[in-house]
Amino acid sequence: MRILLVGAGGVGGASAAVAARRGFVEAMVVADYELGRAEAVVAKVGDPRFVAARVDAADRGAVEELIRAHRVDAVLNACDPRFVMPLFRACLATRVTYLDMAMSMSDVASGRMLGEEQFALAERFAEVGVLALVGMGVEPGLSDVFARYAADHLFSEVHAFDVRDGANLAVPGRGFAPPFSIWTLIEECLNPPVVWERGRGWFTTEPFSEPEVFDFPAGIGPLECVNVEHEEVLLIPRWLDAQRVTFKYGLGAEVIGVLRMLHELGLDATTPVKVRAGDGYAEVSPREVVAACLPDPATLEMTGTTCAGVRVTGLGPDGAPRAVYLHHVVDNEWSMREYGCQAVVWQTGVNPVVALELIVTGVWAGAGVRGPESFDARPFLDLLTAYGSPWALREDRIMEP
């Protein structure tokens, strides 16, 4: 398979590091707006199958030219959500497989939901026989695979899919250092969270609503989790039956406080503002300023462990009440030692590579705009384990009436 990887940041670099160990990769073009970042990823990988290129992900025409020039079979979007639609449309125009790890952005003013722009083109992708696999990171992505596995193999009736994410990661010397794009963090946490319920459909709540304490495995322990906007809630109900679907982050009071402050100061805004620059003025996006002041997530030196998973409640195969937490844990010391990538970006970046291998071998096949839960979960989980990163299942206490 010939792959165009767009985005040479932390997650893109992690995907490249994983892909370099797999024989199904015939060639990978690592492209970024900053050529130096792409070249650094290629140099770090040290594999002749990998080459660097410069591309503006917002320029659909330029992306199409790159796809054709390198005879690309699939595009892996490792950019932040702003660039989803140009890359998505470029794949439709050139008829190549598309994967992303974050879906098209929502819009509070118009009521547009996450991924709505992509699903609006589902029929066109199906008509031309092209697959767009959306939300194929860890959350969304692996969490959706877990949901499908639970529905197929662990439950006769699902009451709720509750995705829960937590970590005990720390960056020495820094009180606030997001382990992934600040753009993504702000979008997820400051937009109204989405919940899905049978009979009601999708609806929103207040940011950081419905706090609960969830006990995470692998020594992470109990963390307060709150509702945030996330793709699983928009994806899972399209293919799997349940009464309720939620997503909550174990953010912690300090991170929530910083995000609230950014919002109060208007520093989460994307509309440029005029600021004094030298003898004149310049227009800059407040959020871009915040991003520029924070360290590159790929360069963070962290300690600790991150956990992603979904708690599923309902009735087991025997009809008795059951609750399980399917989860995936990555220790930062391990990911740095084995791949030179911090835990969060590695945990995100490994999953689309697994999916690409399933696609090229024909195990996952189809066309249209599809989420991970639309495919058989077992081959994915088996291959993820073969990559050296096993998942786990914990039986939980029944809390339903």
Side-chain angles (χ1 to χ4, degrees):
M1 176 178 274
R2 302 180 66 84
I3 304 164
L4 170 59
L5 170 65
V6 185
V11 173
S15 291
V18 174
R21 301 190 182 189
R22 307 305 298 182
F24 79 91
V25 179
E26 178 186 344
M28 177 172 278
V29 181
V30 181
D32 196 277
Y33 186 78
E34 297 180 18
L35 179 60
R37 293 212 310 173
E39 291 174 334
V41 168
V42 170
K44 184 177 179 180
V45 168
D47 188 313
R49 296 174 296 169
F50 289 65
V51 298
R54 184 193 179 279
V55 74
D56 181 352
D59 185 343
R60 171 182 154 183
V63 175
E64 291 178 15
E65 288 180 13
L66 199 57
I67 289 171
R68 294 188 179 102
H70 290 272
R71 297 177 290 111
V72 166
D73 302 305
V75 171
L76 173 53
N77 175 7
C79 301
D80 69 55
R82 290 173 293 172
F83 304 105
V84 163
M85 292 312 297
L87 295 172
F88 189 74
R89 290 192 174 100
C91 289
L92 179 60
T94 54
R95 301 191 178 187
V96 301
T97 300
Y98 169 89
L99 285 83
D100 65 32
M101 292 164 271
M103 290 161 58
S104 60
M105 296 169 69
S106 62
D107 182 72
V108 176
S110 67
R112 185 181 69 219
M113 299 191 301
L114 284 170
E116 190 171 319
E117 287 184 280
Q118 291 173 287
F119 279 106
L121 295 174
E123 287 188 10
R124 291 182 60 187
F125 270 86
E127 287 170 359
V128 299
V130 174
L131 172 63
L133 178 50
V134 298
M136 192 60 256
V138 60
E139 291 174 339
L142 181 55
S143 52
D144 304 72
V145 173
F146 283 149
R148 174 64 183 266
Y149 181 83
D152 285 352
H153 301 286
L154 305 178
F155 288 83
S156 59
E157 177 182 307
V158 173
H159 296 166
F161 293 110
D162 296 312
V163 184
R164 298 293 181 265
D165 179 293
N168 58 5
L169 297 169
V171 180
R174 285 189 173 271
F176 181 74
F180 54 92
S181 166
I182 186 63
W183 267 85
T184 302
L185 184 65
I186 287 175
E187 284 293 319
E188 290 177 350
C189 297
L190 294 180
N191 282 347
V194 181
V195 175
W196 185 89
E197 290 182 356
R198 182 187 296 164
R200 186 175 179 182
W202 289 291
F203 62 93
T204 58
T205 68
E206 292 297 315
F208 313 119
S209 58
E210 299 182 0
E212 67 174 60
V213 175
F214 188 82
D215 189 14
F216 288 92
I220 297 171
L223 295 174
E224 184 176 79
C225 298
V226 293
N227 281 324
V228 300
E229 180 188 56
H230 229 255
E231 287 92 340
E232 291 95 326
V233 180
L234 282 302
L235 286 171
I236 290 174
R238 296 177 187 269
W239 283 279
L240 303 180
D241 186 42
Q243 297 175 7
R244 182 175 167 90
V245 183
T246 67
F247 180 97
K248 293 184 181 181
Y249 259 150
L251 291 170
E254 186 173 355
V255 172
I256 291 175
V258 171
L259 292 170
R260 288 189 188 277
M261 182 60 69
L262 290 175
H263 180 65
E264 290 295 326
L265 295 175
L267 293 174
D268 61 329
T270 58
T271 303
V273 296
K274 185 179 289 187
V275 298
R276 189 177 295 277
D279 295 330
Y281 291 88
E283 291 192 348
V284 296
S285 160
R287 195 182 299 185
E288 290 285 12
V289 173
V290 174
C293 292
L294 290 170
D296 182 345
T299 66
L300 290 176
E301 295 184 5
M302 303 189 300
T303 60
T305 302
T306 185
C307 177
V310 57
R311 186 175 191 268
V312 188
T313 54
L315 304 180
D318 60 356
R322 189 181 193 186
V324 301
Y325 182 56
L326 298 94
H327 56 279
H328 182 251
V329 172
V330 178
D331 177 72
N332 192 74
E333 182 181 350
W334 174 86
S335 64
M336 289 298 299
R337 182 179 67 250
E338 293 293 320
Y339 286 89
C341 304
Q342 53 100 324
V344 173
V345 298
W346 189 91
Q347 189 181 44
T348 305
V350 65
N351 292 290
V353 180
V354 174
L356 284 167
E357 186 159 349
L358 293 176
I359 291 168
V360 76
T361 56
V363 177
W364 278 12
V369 180
R370 298 178 60 173
E373 57 278 279
S374 71
F375 294 98
D376 185 4
R378 191 185 292 275
F380 186 99
L381 296 176
D382 288 345
L383 189 53
L384 178 65
T385 301
Y387 272 46
S389 190
W391 57 284
L393 182 153
R394 181 184 73 189
E395 295 283 347
D396 276 2
R397 180 167 58 92
I398 306 298
M399 301 180 66
E400 295 185 316

